[in-house]
Amino acid sequence: SDGKELINNEIKEVQNAWDRLVKKMSTAKVHLETSLLQWADYSSSYNHLQQWIQDRESKLQRVCEQKVVRFKTGKPSSLSIGLNERRANLRQANDIVQDIVSFEPMIQSVASKASDLHQTSPASEISNKYETLSKQAKELFAKQKETVELHQAFIDSSNDFAAWIRNAKECINKCSDYRGDKESLISKMSQLKILDNDVSVGQKKLQKALEQAEVACRNVESEEC
């Protein structure tokens, strides 16, 4: 009887040990499967992010390399054409910047997954690439925005001076007709006197246009270096 009870106790201990082992194996399997899923998710996200960064780098490079119409003497239309092209480039650069900014949560998500899996090096690498890309895109946008503004300022000042010249010529042509009565001639003399006094205004407009042209040209030259 004692021997039978001893055997039963041994069997129970073996059974309990087996149950504990099965439970540990089951728990280990769950943890392993969870880790594998985390790795698969991280790997997929990481690869997707790498491809995304490469695509945006290519887009940014294409915008950097785009050429615009240079101003040609005797072809004022090339000014507006060049400005329109620069505005188009500016919009593209802005789209890239907004795209990059909107993707920041994904970067943070991948970094968090990498941290959970103790993958600090890949996380740092992808974060550094993202920061570099973001910085380059914002710098390009700022540069192109400045170029567009300077280009527009040059066109505005040129148009302002051109309008003054046009009005001055009209006045001179009108006053060059010496026919008419005394009052008409006196009126023309008054207009010429006003125009003569206004010459300094025209000179200032011309000077401003020349200065804006010089600034715009320097900006374009530095852009093409």
Side-chain angles (χ1 to χ4, degrees), residues 3 13 39 63 75 103-104 110 125 128 130 132 137 147 152 157-159 162 164 166 171 176 199 211:
E13 287 183 11
W39 268 105
V63 173
K75 292 187 177 181
F103 219 73
E104 187 172 1
V110 171
E125 179 187 354
N128 290 338
Y130 175 80
T132 300
T147 300
Q152 183 64 61
S157 59
S158 297
N159 289 340
W164 185 89
R166 186 167 55 252
C171 179
S176 295
V199 167
E211 289 173 356

Side-chain angles (χ1 to χ4, degrees), residues 194-210:
I194 292 172
L195 179 60
D196 185 54
N197 292 333
D198 201 35
V199 167
S200 60
V201 174
Q203 289 176 333
K204 288 180 181 178
K205 291 180 183 294
L206 173 60
Q207 184 61 34
K208 183 178 180 181
L210 293 174

Side-chain angles (χ1 to χ4, degrees), residues 74-130:
K75 292 187 177 181
S77 61
S78 62
L79 271 175
S80 57
I81 293 173
L83 180 58
N84 289 336
E85 291 181 350
R86 291 185 186 281
R87 281 176 173 161
N89 289 350
L90 180 62
R91 285 193 295 271
Q92 290 181 46
N94 183 55
D95 289 343
I96 293 174
V97 169
Q98 297 305 317
D99 190 18
I100 291 172
V101 170
S102 68
F103 219 73
E104 187 172 1
M106 177 62 78
I107 300 291
Q108 295 172 345
S109 174
V110 171
S112 176
K113 291 173 184 177
S115 177
D116 292 341
L117 296 169
H118 306 291
Q119 297 295 303
T120 54
S121 294
S124 297
E125 179 187 354
I126 208 73
S127 294
N128 290 338
K129 283 185 177 181
Y130 175 80

Side-chain angles (χ1 to χ4, degrees), residues 136-211:
Q136 289 175 342
K138 289 176 180 178
E139 287 177 349
L140 175 64
F141 174 76
K143 177 64 176 176
Q144 292 196 342
K145 185 172 184 287
E146 180 188 22
T147 300
V148 167
E149 289 173 348
L150 291 175
H151 202 138
Q152 183 64 61
F154 169 45
I155 290 177
D156 290 343
S157 59
S158 297
N159 289 340
D160 188 35
F161 175 67
W164 185 89
I165 283 289
R166 186 167 55 252
N167 291 333
K169 285 182 177 179
E170 289 177 359
C171 179
I172 291 173
N173 290 335
K174 182 179 178 181
C175 294
S176 295
D177 184 1
Y178 303 115
R179 293 170 298 178
D181 55 23
K182 182 179 178 180
E183 289 184 2
S184 175
L185 293 175
I186 291 174
S187 174
K188 290 176 182 179
M189 285 293 294
S190 297
Q191 291 179 47
L192 286 174
K193 188 174 182 180
I194 292 172
L195 179 60
D196 185 54
N197 292 333
D198 201 35
V199 167
S200 60
V201 174
Q203 289 176 333
K204 288 180 181 178
K205 291 180 183 294
L206 173 60
Q207 184 61 34
K208 183 178 180 181
L210 293 174
E211 289 173 356

